[in-house]
Amino acid sequence: MEEIESTTGERTGEDEDQKTSNILLMSSKPLHRFVQKQPRTLGIVVLMFGCAEVMMGFVLAFDSSDYPPNSFKLYVPLWQGILFFTCGVLSIYTELHPSKKMVTTCLALYVVSMLGIIVSFGIRISIIMHYSFVRNWRGRNGYDVQVACVEYILFGSSLCVFAFLIFLSTIARLALKSTKTQHVIVQHIVMRPQSEATAN
């Protein structure tokens, strides 16, 4: 009876040690450190910015004339909104199902989206400069003011998303970098005394 109780007590102690080591191992894994930064929350924000980009782009799409210019002539709100939407969905999915492959995919899309934002910055700055020139020299027009306001709002939202994507790409890169360097395997082997092995 005493032997059974002591064996049970030893097993319980070993189980608790194993649970503790598993918790420490899970918290030190790079992908779990990526998940701890909550990319899902930022992914939801980026997704909402993508939907807003597409919807505000429709305001610019209804103008059929070539003048005054706006960013929808090059479909900037459409492709940039789709990029933001995809980044958001992938960030949400990666937090729910973390894997090295998904983090790599997210990182690639973050970089592509940041390059797209840089291109859209150039386009929108030239459009905003044009509208500031028109306002100063030709007087105010209601449509010019509306388009300029939409371009300003889209420029500001792209700037916010750019900051979020820099943060997400940094933590994704750190997670992928540390998976290459972290290969520590600890294995405990419990040996039975030889007298018990021969008795059985």
Side-chain angles (χ1 to χ4, degrees):
M1 190 67 157
E2 291 176 3
E3 290 179 5
I4 295 171
E5 288 176 0
S6 64
T7 309
T8 310
E10 286 174 6
R11 285 182 183 171
T12 307
E14 288 175 5
D15 290 341
E16 288 176 5
D17 289 341
Q18 188 176 8
K19 286 177 185 177
T20 306
S21 64
N22 284 342
I23 290 169
L24 288 172
L25 184 63
M26 292 293 281
S27 64
S28 65
K29 280 187 179 178
L31 295 180
H32 290 280
R33 277 185 273 155
F34 174 73
V35 170
Q36 284 176 355
K37 300 293 183 185
Q38 297 181 346
R40 181 172 58 174
T41 306
L42 290 177
I44 291 169
V45 174
V46 172
L47 188 143
M48 290 173 63
F49 273 115
C51 293
E53 180 93 23
V54 171
M55 288 192 303
M56 292 186 77
F58 286 129
V59 174
L60 304 174
F62 288 117
D63 181 33
S64 57
S65 63
D66 292 332
Y67 187 85
N70 61 49
S71 59
F72 199 82
K73 303 296 181 194
L74 298 173
Y75 303 105
V76 173
L78 187 63
W79 55 260
Q80 190 164 331
I82 291 172
L83 280 175
F84 293 170
F85 186 83
T86 310
C87 281
V89 169
L90 272 177
S91 297
I92 294 167
Y93 184 80
T94 303
E95 182 171 337
L96 297 175
H97 306 285
S99 67
K100 187 177 177 184
K101 185 177 180 181
M102 287 306 301
V103 174
T104 307
T105 306
C106 283
L107 180 61
L109 195 60
Y110 296 155
V111 171
V112 170
S113 297
M114 285 190 289
L115 292 174
I117 290 172
I118 291 170
V119 170
S120 73
F121 279 167
I123 294 168
R124 287 192 170 131
I125 286 173
S126 66
I127 291 170
I128 289 169
M129 294 295 287
H130 169 77
Y131 281 112
S132 65
F133 175 78
V134 167
R135 187 181 66 185
N136 290 335
W137 293 98
R138 299 187 183 176
R140 294 185 179 217
N141 183 352
Y143 183 73
D144 290 349
V145 172
Q146 178 186 1
V147 171
C149 287
V150 170
E151 294 291 350
Y152 275 118
I153 292 168
L154 292 177
F155 182 82
S157 68
S158 298
L159 196 62
C160 291
V161 173
F162 192 73
F164 291 143
L165 290 178
I166 287 175
F167 176 74
L168 285 170
S169 60
T170 303
I171 60 172
R173 180 65 188 118
L174 289 174
L176 291 174
K177 183 179 179 182
S178 54
T179 50
K180 293 177 184 176
T181 59
Q182 187 175 4
H183 296 289
V184 177
I185 298 173
V186 178
Q187 186 175 8
H188 295 285
I189 300 173
V190 179
M191 301 288 290
R192 286 194 212 175
Q194 236 177 1
S195 60
E196 287 182 15
T198 54
N200 290 335

Tab-separated table of all heavy atoms in Angstrom, residues 44-101:
chain	number	residue	atom	x	y	z
A	44	ILE	N	-7.601	42.730	-37.583
A	44	ILE	CA	-8.971	43.246	-37.680
A	44	ILE	C	-8.949	44.735	-38.038
A	44	ILE	O	-9.734	45.202	-38.870
A	44	ILE	CB	-9.729	42.992	-36.364
A	44	ILE	CG1	-9.976	41.492	-36.179
A	44	ILE	CG2	-11.046	43.754	-36.324
A	44	ILE	CD1	-10.488	41.113	-34.809
A	45	VAL	N	-8.018	45.476	-37.432
A	45	VAL	CA	-7.912	46.916	-37.723
A	45	VAL	C	-7.517	47.136	-39.180
A	45	VAL	O	-8.109	47.959	-39.893
A	45	VAL	CB	-6.897	47.578	-36.768
A	45	VAL	CG1	-6.662	49.022	-37.151
A	45	VAL	CG2	-7.382	47.498	-35.331
A	46	VAL	N	-6.522	46.377	-39.659
A	46	VAL	CA	-6.077	46.511	-41.053
A	46	VAL	C	-7.196	46.108	-42.013
A	46	VAL	O	-7.409	46.747	-43.057
A	46	VAL	CB	-4.797	45.671	-41.286
A	46	VAL	CG1	-4.428	45.625	-42.757
A	46	VAL	CG2	-3.639	46.232	-40.480
A	47	LEU	N	-7.939	45.067	-41.661
A	47	LEU	CA	-9.079	44.641	-42.485
A	47	LEU	C	-10.133	45.748	-42.589
A	47	LEU	O	-10.667	46.001	-43.671
A	47	LEU	CB	-9.673	43.373	-41.869
A	47	LEU	CG	-10.752	42.635	-42.630
A	47	LEU	CD1	-10.551	41.144	-42.436
A	47	LEU	CD2	-12.126	43.004	-42.122
A	48	MET	N	-10.403	46.422	-41.468
A	48	MET	CA	-11.382	47.510	-41.498
A	48	MET	C	-10.880	48.681	-42.343
A	48	MET	O	-11.646	49.305	-43.091
A	48	MET	CB	-11.679	47.970	-40.070
A	48	MET	CG	-12.468	46.947	-39.278
A	48	MET	SD	-12.658	47.377	-37.548
A	48	MET	CE	-13.588	48.875	-37.650
A	49	PHE	N	-9.584	48.975	-42.263
A	49	PHE	CA	-9.016	50.021	-43.116
A	49	PHE	C	-9.132	49.638	-44.592
A	49	PHE	O	-9.358	50.498	-45.451
A	49	PHE	CB	-7.552	50.280	-42.758
A	49	PHE	CG	-7.355	51.291	-41.664
A	49	PHE	CD1	-6.803	50.924	-40.452
A	49	PHE	CD2	-7.715	52.619	-41.858
A	49	PHE	CE1	-6.612	51.845	-39.446
A	49	PHE	CE2	-7.527	53.554	-40.856
A	49	PHE	CZ	-6.976	53.168	-39.649
A	50	GLY	N	-8.969	48.341	-44.902
A	50	GLY	CA	-9.111	47.890	-46.284
A	50	GLY	C	-10.525	48.067	-46.804
A	50	GLY	O	-10.735	48.517	-47.927
A	51	CYS	N	-11.513	47.717	-45.964
A	51	CYS	CA	-12.918	47.919	-46.370
A	51	CYS	C	-13.214	49.399	-46.562
A	51	CYS	O	-13.904	49.786	-47.517
A	51	CYS	CB	-13.844	47.321	-45.321
A	51	CYS	SG	-13.769	45.529	-45.205
A	52	ALA	N	-12.697	50.244	-45.669
A	52	ALA	CA	-12.920	51.691	-45.789
A	52	ALA	C	-12.262	52.244	-47.043
A	52	ALA	O	-12.817	53.117	-47.719
A	52	ALA	CB	-12.378	52.404	-44.553
A	53	GLU	N	-11.087	51.721	-47.379
A	53	GLU	CA	-10.381	52.170	-48.585
A	53	GLU	C	-11.211	51.881	-49.831
A	53	GLU	O	-11.369	52.738	-50.702
A	53	GLU	CB	-9.034	51.467	-48.670
A	53	GLU	CG	-8.191	51.836	-49.851
A	53	GLU	CD	-7.212	52.954	-49.584
A	53	GLU	OE1	-6.859	53.186	-48.419
A	53	GLU	OE2	-6.813	53.605	-50.567
A	54	VAL	N	-11.764	50.673	-49.902
A	54	VAL	CA	-12.571	50.309	-51.078
A	54	VAL	C	-13.850	51.137	-51.128
A	54	VAL	O	-14.230	51.662	-52.188
A	54	VAL	CB	-12.882	48.792	-51.052
A	54	VAL	CG1	-13.892	48.435	-52.136
A	54	VAL	CG2	-11.616	47.984	-51.237
A	55	MET	N	-14.520	51.295	-49.984
A	55	MET	CA	-15.784	52.040	-49.984
A	55	MET	C	-15.580	53.519	-50.300
A	55	MET	O	-16.360	54.116	-51.036
A	55	MET	CB	-16.486	51.873	-48.639
A	55	MET	CG	-17.052	50.484	-48.453
A	55	MET	SD	-18.173	50.308	-47.059
A	55	MET	CE	-17.198	50.836	-45.693
A	56	MET	N	-14.516	54.123	-49.769
A	56	MET	CA	-14.257	55.529	-50.080
A	56	MET	C	-13.753	55.700	-51.504
A	56	MET	O	-13.878	56.772	-52.094
A	56	MET	CB	-13.266	56.117	-49.085
A	56	MET	CG	-13.867	56.229	-47.696
A	56	MET	SD	-12.812	57.075	-46.553
A	56	MET	CE	-13.067	58.751	-47.063
A	57	GLY	N	-13.187	54.642	-52.059
A	57	GLY	CA	-12.785	54.688	-53.464
A	57	GLY	C	-13.973	54.802	-54.399
A	57	GLY	O	-13.856	55.366	-55.495
A	58	PHE	N	-15.141	54.278	-53.952
A	58	PHE	CA	-16.341	54.397	-54.789
A	58	PHE	C	-16.777	55.851	-54.952
A	58	PHE	O	-17.380	56.219	-55.949
A	58	PHE	CB	-17.486	53.563	-54.220
A	58	PHE	CG	-17.305	52.090	-54.422
A	58	PHE	CD1	-17.423	51.212	-53.362
A	58	PHE	CD2	-17.018	51.577	-55.676
A	58	PHE	CE1	-17.259	49.856	-53.546
A	58	PHE	CE2	-16.848	50.221	-55.868
A	58	PHE	CZ	-16.963	49.356	-54.802
A	59	VAL	N	-16.459	56.682	-53.973
A	59	VAL	CA	-16.765	58.119	-54.101
A	59	VAL	C	-15.988	58.704	-55.271
A	59	VAL	O	-16.497	59.530	-56.031
A	59	VAL	CB	-16.412	58.861	-52.794
A	59	VAL	CG1	-16.591	60.360	-52.950
A	59	VAL	CG2	-17.245	58.334	-51.639
A	60	LEU	N	-14.745	58.246	-55.431
A	60	LEU	CA	-13.915	58.734	-56.532
A	60	LEU	C	-14.255	58.061	-57.855
A	60	LEU	O	-13.960	58.596	-58.917
A	60	LEU	CB	-12.434	58.492	-56.204
A	60	LEU	CG	-11.925	59.095	-54.894
A	60	LEU	CD1	-10.493	58.646	-54.636
A	60	LEU	CD2	-12.018	60.604	-54.916
A	61	ALA	N	-14.879	56.887	-57.811
A	61	ALA	CA	-15.132	56.123	-59.036
A	61	ALA	C	-16.265	56.697	-59.871
A	61	ALA	O	-16.324	56.455	-61.075
A	61	ALA	CB	-15.455	54.679	-58.685
A	62	PHE	N	-17.169	57.463	-59.252
A	62	PHE	CA	-18.331	57.949	-59.986
A	62	PHE	C	-18.010	59.105	-60.913
A	62	PHE	O	-18.853	59.540	-61.681
A	62	PHE	CB	-19.442	58.352	-59.016
A	62	PHE	CG	-20.088	57.169	-58.362
A	62	PHE	CD1	-20.021	56.993	-56.993
A	62	PHE	CD2	-20.742	56.219	-59.125
A	62	PHE	CE1	-20.610	55.903	-56.393
A	62	PHE	CE2	-21.333	55.120	-58.533
A	62	PHE	CZ	-21.267	54.958	-57.161
A	63	ASP	N	-16.790	59.620	-60.850
A	63	ASP	CA	-16.402	60.695	-61.749
A	63	ASP	C	-15.903	60.086	-63.051
A	63	ASP	O	-14.886	59.406	-63.081
A	63	ASP	CB	-15.303	61.550	-61.108
A	63	ASP	CG	-14.889	62.687	-62.012
A	63	ASP	OD1	-15.760	63.199	-62.737
A	63	ASP	OD2	-13.707	63.047	-61.994
A	64	SER	N	-16.617	60.333	-64.144
A	64	SER	CA	-16.252	59.735	-65.427
A	64	SER	C	-15.302	60.614	-66.235
A	64	SER	O	-14.705	60.166	-67.201
A	64	SER	CB	-17.512	59.469	-66.264
A	64	SER	OG	-18.236	60.674	-66.447
A	65	SER	N	-15.135	61.869	-65.844
A	65	SER	CA	-14.264	62.768	-66.612
A	65	SER	C	-12.797	62.534	-66.236
A	65	SER	O	-12.487	61.978	-65.196
A	65	SER	CB	-14.643	64.224	-66.338
A	65	SER	OG	-14.432	64.535	-64.989
A	66	ASP	N	-11.921	62.962	-67.117
A	66	ASP	CA	-10.493	62.810	-66.855
A	66	ASP	C	-9.958	63.921	-65.960
A	66	ASP	O	-8.853	63.820	-65.438
A	66	ASP	CB	-9.714	62.818	-68.165
A	66	ASP	CG	-10.005	61.567	-68.978
A	66	ASP	OD1	-10.319	60.540	-68.356
A	66	ASP	OD2	-9.921	61.632	-70.211
A	67	TYR	N	-10.723	64.988	-65.813
A	67	TYR	CA	-10.276	66.109	-64.990
A	67	TYR	C	-11.375	66.467	-64.020
A	67	TYR	O	-12.531	66.519	-64.422
A	67	TYR	CB	-9.952	67.313	-65.892
A	67	TYR	CG	-9.333	68.450	-65.129
A	67	TYR	CD1	-7.968	68.475	-64.895
A	67	TYR	CD2	-10.115	69.489	-64.634
A	67	TYR	CE1	-7.398	69.503	-64.188
A	67	TYR	CE2	-9.547	70.518	-63.922
A	67	TYR	CZ	-8.191	70.523	-63.707
A	67	TYR	OH	-7.622	71.541	-63.002
A	68	PRO	N	-11.155	66.677	-62.779
A	68	PRO	CA	-9.866	66.657	-62.085
A	68	PRO	C	-9.392	65.236	-61.810
A	68	PRO	O	-10.196	64.319	-61.703
A	68	PRO	CB	-10.169	67.390	-60.783
A	68	PRO	CG	-11.608	67.183	-60.552
A	68	PRO	CD	-12.253	67.090	-61.892
A	69	PRO	N	-8.091	65.040	-61.680
A	69	PRO	CA	-7.559	63.689	-61.457
A	69	PRO	C	-7.843	63.199	-60.042
A	69	PRO	O	-8.009	63.983	-59.117
A	69	PRO	CB	-6.049	63.878	-61.665
A	69	PRO	CG	-5.803	65.295	-61.304
A	69	PRO	CD	-7.029	66.055	-61.718
A	70	ASN	N	-7.922	61.900	-59.894
A	70	ASN	CA	-8.014	61.291	-58.570
A	70	ASN	C	-7.338	59.930	-58.609
A	70	ASN	O	-6.979	59.429	-59.673
A	70	ASN	CB	-9.467	61.200	-58.080
A	70	ASN	CG	-10.340	60.355	-58.974
A	70	ASN	OD1	-9.969	59.248	-59.323
A	70	ASN	ND2	-11.499	60.870	-59.357
A	71	SER	N	-7.171	59.329	-57.446
A	71	SER	CA	-6.405	58.086	-57.366
A	71	SER	C	-7.153	56.886	-57.922
A	71	SER	O	-6.546	55.840	-58.168
A	71	SER	CB	-5.990	57.812	-55.916
A	71	SER	OG	-7.126	57.710	-55.088
A	72	PHE	N	-8.463	57.002	-58.149
A	72	PHE	CA	-9.200	55.871	-58.710
A	72	PHE	C	-8.912	55.690	-60.196
A	72	PHE	O	-9.200	54.635	-60.752
A	72	PHE	CB	-10.703	56.030	-58.480
A	72	PHE	CG	-11.446	54.729	-58.605
A	72	PHE	CD1	-11.501	53.842	-57.542
A	72	PHE	CD2	-12.052	54.367	-59.791
A	72	PHE	CE1	-12.161	52.634	-57.654
A	72	PHE	CE2	-12.725	53.164	-59.908
A	72	PHE	CZ	-12.774	52.291	-58.841
A	73	LYS	N	-8.339	56.710	-60.829
A	73	LYS	CA	-7.977	56.558	-62.247
A	73	LYS	C	-6.954	55.445	-62.432
A	73	LYS	O	-6.900	54.810	-63.474
A	73	LYS	CB	-7.401	57.867	-62.804
A	73	LYS	CG	-8.307	59.065	-62.670
A	73	LYS	CD	-9.567	58.915	-63.458
A	73	LYS	CE	-10.427	60.164	-63.295
A	73	LYS	NZ	-11.784	59.959	-63.750
A	74	LEU	N	-6.137	55.220	-61.401
A	74	LEU	CA	-5.168	54.117	-61.421
A	74	LEU	C	-5.613	52.956	-60.528
A	74	LEU	O	-4.820	52.077	-60.206
A	74	LEU	CB	-3.792	54.620	-60.965
A	74	LEU	CG	-3.174	55.705	-61.843
A	74	LEU	CD1	-1.910	56.249	-61.208
A	74	LEU	CD2	-2.886	55.157	-63.230
A	75	TYR	N	-6.867	52.963	-60.109
A	75	TYR	CA	-7.471	51.922	-59.265
A	75	TYR	C	-6.722	51.724	-57.948
A	75	TYR	O	-6.681	50.623	-57.406
A	75	TYR	CB	-7.568	50.589	-60.013
A	75	TYR	CG	-8.343	50.688	-61.297
A	75	TYR	CD1	-7.678	50.684	-62.522
A	75	TYR	CD2	-9.721	50.804	-61.273
A	75	TYR	CE1	-8.387	50.791	-63.706
A	75	TYR	CE2	-10.436	50.901	-62.453
A	75	TYR	CZ	-9.767	50.907	-63.664
A	75	TYR	OH	-10.475	51.020	-64.823
A	76	VAL	N	-6.147	52.797	-57.419
A	76	VAL	CA	-5.385	52.697	-56.171
A	76	VAL	C	-6.266	52.244	-54.999
A	76	VAL	O	-5.889	51.327	-54.267
A	76	VAL	CB	-4.667	54.030	-55.855
A	76	VAL	CG1	-4.011	53.982	-54.484
A	76	VAL	CG2	-3.638	54.335	-56.922
A	77	PRO	N	-7.455	52.848	-54.781
A	77	PRO	CA	-8.259	52.384	-53.634
A	77	PRO	C	-8.684	50.922	-53.755
A	77	PRO	O	-8.808	50.228	-52.740
A	77	PRO	CB	-9.484	53.303	-53.644
A	77	PRO	CG	-9.064	54.494	-54.401
A	77	PRO	CD	-8.080	54.010	-55.416
A	78	LEU	N	-8.856	50.451	-54.981
A	78	LEU	CA	-9.299	49.073	-55.183
A	78	LEU	C	-8.198	48.083	-54.832
A	78	LEU	O	-8.380	47.211	-53.968
A	78	LEU	CB	-9.754	48.885	-56.635
A	78	LEU	CG	-10.394	47.545	-56.966
A	78	LEU	CD1	-11.674	47.360	-56.170
A	78	LEU	CD2	-10.677	47.442	-58.449
A	79	TRP	N	-7.023	48.198	-55.465
A	79	TRP	CA	-5.981	47.201	-55.202
A	79	TRP	C	-5.361	47.369	-53.813
A	79	TRP	O	-4.983	46.385	-53.191
A	79	TRP	CB	-4.909	47.152	-56.287
A	79	TRP	CG	-4.183	48.408	-56.634
A	79	TRP	CD1	-4.430	49.221	-57.691
A	79	TRP	CD2	-3.058	48.987	-55.952
A	79	TRP	NE1	-3.544	50.266	-57.704
A	79	TRP	CE2	-2.694	50.151	-56.656
A	79	TRP	CE3	-2.341	48.639	-54.817
A	79	TRP	CZ2	-1.644	50.969	-56.249
A	79	TRP	CZ3	-1.285	49.447	-54.411
A	79	TRP	CH2	-0.940	50.593	-55.125
A	80	GLN	N	-5.300	48.613	-53.324
A	80	GLN	CA	-4.754	48.791	-51.979
A	80	GLN	C	-5.729	48.270	-50.923
A	80	GLN	O	-5.323	47.668	-49.944
A	80	GLN	CB	-4.435	50.261	-51.731
A	80	GLN	CG	-3.655	50.483	-50.471
A	80	GLN	CD	-3.023	51.862	-50.436
A	80	GLN	OE1	-2.701	52.436	-51.449
A	80	GLN	NE2	-2.874	52.385	-49.253
A	81	GLY	N	-7.025	48.479	-51.137
A	81	GLY	CA	-8.023	47.934	-50.217
A	81	GLY	C	-8.010	46.418	-50.186
A	81	GLY	O	-8.135	45.797	-49.124
A	82	ILE	N	-7.823	45.797	-51.353
A	82	ILE	CA	-7.747	44.329	-51.411
A	82	ILE	C	-6.500	43.827	-50.683
A	82	ILE	O	-6.550	42.824	-49.958
A	82	ILE	CB	-7.782	43.853	-52.878
A	82	ILE	CG1	-9.174	44.103	-53.465
A	82	ILE	CG2	-7.412	42.385	-52.994
A	82	ILE	CD1	-9.282	43.868	-54.948
A	83	LEU	N	-5.375	44.536	-50.847
A	83	LEU	CA	-4.155	44.153	-50.124
A	83	LEU	C	-4.347	44.250	-48.615
A	83	LEU	O	-3.958	43.351	-47.865
A	83	LEU	CB	-2.984	45.036	-50.557
A	83	LEU	CG	-2.301	44.688	-51.869
A	83	LEU	CD1	-1.249	45.745	-52.215
A	83	LEU	CD2	-1.652	43.318	-51.809
A	84	PHE	N	-4.958	45.347	-48.154
A	84	PHE	CA	-5.207	45.519	-46.720
A	84	PHE	C	-6.140	44.430	-46.198
A	84	PHE	O	-5.920	43.861	-45.131
A	84	PHE	CB	-5.809	46.886	-46.410
A	84	PHE	CG	-4.882	48.051	-46.651
A	84	PHE	CD1	-5.369	49.340	-46.604
A	84	PHE	CD2	-3.541	47.877	-46.932
A	84	PHE	CE1	-4.540	50.428	-46.816
A	84	PHE	CE2	-2.695	48.949	-47.155
A	84	PHE	CZ	-3.205	50.227	-47.091
A	85	PHE	N	-7.184	44.150	-46.962
A	85	PHE	CA	-8.162	43.131	-46.568
A	85	PHE	C	-7.487	41.768	-46.442
A	85	PHE	O	-7.696	41.039	-45.466
A	85	PHE	CB	-9.298	43.088	-47.595
A	85	PHE	CG	-10.427	42.180	-47.216
A	85	PHE	CD1	-11.429	42.617	-46.359
A	85	PHE	CD2	-10.486	40.890	-47.711
A	85	PHE	CE1	-12.471	41.772	-46.005
A	85	PHE	CE2	-11.521	40.043	-47.360
A	85	PHE	CZ	-12.515	40.488	-46.504
A	86	THR	N	-6.651	41.424	-47.418
A	86	THR	CA	-5.965	40.136	-47.398
A	86	THR	C	-4.982	40.045	-46.236
A	86	THR	O	-4.872	38.997	-45.580
A	86	THR	CB	-5.229	39.904	-48.733
A	86	THR	OG1	-6.137	40.153	-49.805
A	86	THR	CG2	-4.723	38.489	-48.851
A	87	CYS	N	-4.258	41.135	-45.974
A	87	CYS	CA	-3.330	41.160	-44.820
A	87	CYS	C	-4.087	40.929	-43.514
A	87	CYS	O	-3.632	40.178	-42.643
A	87	CYS	CB	-2.606	42.503	-44.743
A	87	CYS	SG	-1.252	42.676	-45.882
A	88	GLY	N	-5.232	41.577	-43.383
A	88	GLY	CA	-6.024	41.418	-42.169
A	88	GLY	C	-6.521	39.996	-41.977
A	88	GLY	O	-6.426	39.432	-40.881
A	89	VAL	N	-7.039	39.412	-43.044
A	89	VAL	CA	-7.554	38.040	-42.956
A	89	VAL	C	-6.428	37.055	-42.631
A	89	VAL	O	-6.591	36.167	-41.793
A	89	VAL	CB	-8.267	37.657	-44.276
A	89	VAL	CG1	-8.575	36.175	-44.329
A	89	VAL	CG2	-9.551	38.456	-44.440
A	90	LEU	N	-5.268	37.225	-43.268
A	90	LEU	CA	-4.147	36.325	-42.995
A	90	LEU	C	-3.626	36.476	-41.565
A	90	LEU	O	-3.238	35.495	-40.939
A	90	LEU	CB	-3.007	36.591	-43.983
A	90	LEU	CG	-3.074	35.820	-45.301
A	90	LEU	CD1	-1.935	36.221	-46.204
A	90	LEU	CD2	-3.052	34.336	-45.060
A	91	SER	N	-3.619	37.706	-41.045
A	91	SER	CA	-3.173	37.911	-39.659
A	91	SER	C	-4.114	37.222	-38.677
A	91	SER	O	-3.666	36.607	-37.702
A	91	SER	CB	-3.097	39.405	-39.343
A	91	SER	OG	-2.138	40.028	-40.144
A	92	ILE	N	-5.409	37.322	-38.936
A	92	ILE	CA	-6.390	36.656	-38.071
A	92	ILE	C	-6.219	35.142	-38.137
A	92	ILE	O	-6.187	34.458	-37.117
A	92	ILE	CB	-7.823	37.071	-38.484
A	92	ILE	CG1	-8.047	38.557	-38.212
A	92	ILE	CG2	-8.862	36.238	-37.753
A	92	ILE	CD1	-9.289	39.121	-38.861
A	93	TYR	N	-6.070	34.615	-39.340
A	93	TYR	CA	-5.935	33.165	-39.512
A	93	TYR	C	-4.634	32.647	-38.886
A	93	TYR	O	-4.608	31.564	-38.299
A	93	TYR	CB	-5.979	32.820	-41.006
A	93	TYR	CG	-5.936	31.337	-41.267
A	93	TYR	CD1	-7.081	30.558	-41.146
A	93	TYR	CD2	-4.743	30.710	-41.613
A	93	TYR	CE1	-7.039	29.195	-41.372
A	93	TYR	CE2	-4.690	29.350	-41.839
A	93	TYR	CZ	-5.845	28.598	-41.715
A	93	TYR	OH	-5.800	27.248	-41.942
A	94	THR	N	-3.562	33.433	-39.007
A	94	THR	CA	-2.272	32.997	-38.480
A	94	THR	C	-2.280	32.930	-36.964
A	94	THR	O	-1.633	32.056	-36.379
A	94	THR	CB	-1.148	33.933	-38.968
A	94	THR	OG1	-1.169	33.960	-40.392
A	94	THR	CG2	0.208	33.458	-38.520
A	95	GLU	N	-3.002	33.846	-36.309
A	95	GLU	CA	-3.069	33.739	-34.848
A	95	GLU	C	-3.870	32.512	-34.426
A	95	GLU	O	-3.541	31.865	-33.438
A	95	GLU	CB	-3.696	34.988	-34.236
A	95	GLU	CG	-3.733	34.910	-32.725
A	95	GLU	CD	-4.142	36.197	-32.047
A	95	GLU	OE1	-4.009	37.268	-32.638
A	95	GLU	OE2	-4.609	36.099	-30.905
A	96	LEU	N	-4.908	32.169	-35.187
A	96	LEU	CA	-5.720	30.999	-34.839
A	96	LEU	C	-5.013	29.690	-35.171
A	96	LEU	O	-5.179	28.694	-34.463
A	96	LEU	CB	-7.065	31.070	-35.570
A	96	LEU	CG	-7.956	32.263	-35.198
A	96	LEU	CD1	-9.202	32.278	-36.068
A	96	LEU	CD2	-8.327	32.227	-33.731
A	97	HIS	N	-4.230	29.667	-36.253
A	97	HIS	CA	-3.520	28.460	-36.693
A	97	HIS	C	-2.062	28.820	-36.991
A	97	HIS	O	-1.671	28.901	-38.163
A	97	HIS	CB	-4.181	27.875	-37.944
A	97	HIS	CG	-5.642	27.618	-37.787
A	97	HIS	ND1	-6.132	26.558	-37.055
A	97	HIS	CD2	-6.723	28.290	-38.245
A	97	HIS	CE1	-7.453	26.586	-37.083
A	97	HIS	NE2	-7.835	27.633	-37.793
A	98	PRO	N	-1.247	29.015	-35.947
A	98	PRO	CA	0.134	29.448	-36.208
A	98	PRO	C	0.994	28.340	-36.797
A	98	PRO	O	0.937	27.197	-36.352
A	98	PRO	CB	0.640	29.860	-34.816
A	98	PRO	CG	-0.199	29.098	-33.859
A	98	PRO	CD	-1.526	28.897	-34.517
A	99	SER	N	1.741	28.695	-37.818
A	99	SER	CA	2.732	27.790	-38.398
A	99	SER	C	3.783	28.656	-39.086
A	99	SER	O	3.541	29.818	-39.405
A	99	SER	CB	2.092	26.828	-39.403
A	99	SER	OG	1.639	27.527	-40.536
A	100	LYS	N	4.931	28.061	-39.303
A	100	LYS	CA	6.016	28.804	-39.936
A	100	LYS	C	5.639	29.212	-41.362
A	100	LYS	O	5.968	30.309	-41.819
A	100	LYS	CB	7.272	27.935	-39.937
A	100	LYS	CG	8.501	28.643	-40.413
A	100	LYS	CD	9.717	27.760	-40.312
A	100	LYS	CE	10.934	28.467	-40.857
A	100	LYS	NZ	12.120	27.600	-40.850
A	101	LYS	N	4.922	28.347	-42.042
A	101	LYS	CA	4.503	28.632	-43.417
A	101	LYS	C	3.554	29.836	-43.462
A	101	LYS	O	3.685	30.712	-44.323
A	101	LYS	CB	3.818	27.383	-43.980
A	101	LYS	CG	3.436	27.467	-45.424
A	101	LYS	CD	2.840	26.142	-45.852
A	101	LYS	CE	2.433	26.171	-47.302
A	101	LYS	NZ	1.842	24.902	-47.733
